Amino acid sequence: MNIISKATLTLSLFCFLSFNILNAQCSDYISLNSQADVDDFAANYPDCISQGWVTGLYINGSDIVDLSGLSGITEVKDQFGIQNTSLTDLSTLTTINKVHYINIGNNPLLT
């Protein structure tokens, strides 16, 4: 193999692995179990914010009152659950325009 072929192969492999590593975090099912988890979402999952999607998202925590930390998400490719929170409305989720399946339950303050 000549030097150009090795360089091309190395660059191709690097691009492939980088793409898969960046998408891997968004391909997981992400659980946010506190208001701090929601607030830190952009910092903890920056690639999901830049791509605008996650595979699955579960929000479950009685101290969760605000979902504005998720404002960069436009799509949940599979399941989206909101359970056992203290949310009063879902107005901060207006950026999400596509969800495969949603389950909202046991949110007594939600109107």
Side-chain angles (χ1 to χ4, degrees), residues 40-106:
D40 296 340
F41 182 80
N44 292 334
Y45 299 95
D47 298 321
C48 300
I49 293 295
S50 67
Q51 294 176 53
W53 62 268
V54 295
T55 296
L57 187 58
Y58 301 106
I59 299 166
N60 185 349
S62 61
D63 72 324
I64 298 174
V65 296
D66 177 37
L67 299 178
S68 60
L70 306 176
S71 63
I73 298 296
T74 59
E75 179 179 1
V76 180
K77 293 185 178 275
D78 196 14
Q79 296 182 13
F80 184 27
I82 302 173
Q83 303 284 325
N84 307 311
T85 70
S86 295
L87 292 167
T88 57
D89 66 66
L90 300 176
S91 62
T92 56
L93 296 178
T94 58
T95 60
I96 297 176
N97 56 42
K98 186 175 182 183
V99 175
H100 177 73
Y101 174 81
I102 190 165
N103 181 10
I104 300 173
N106 198 26

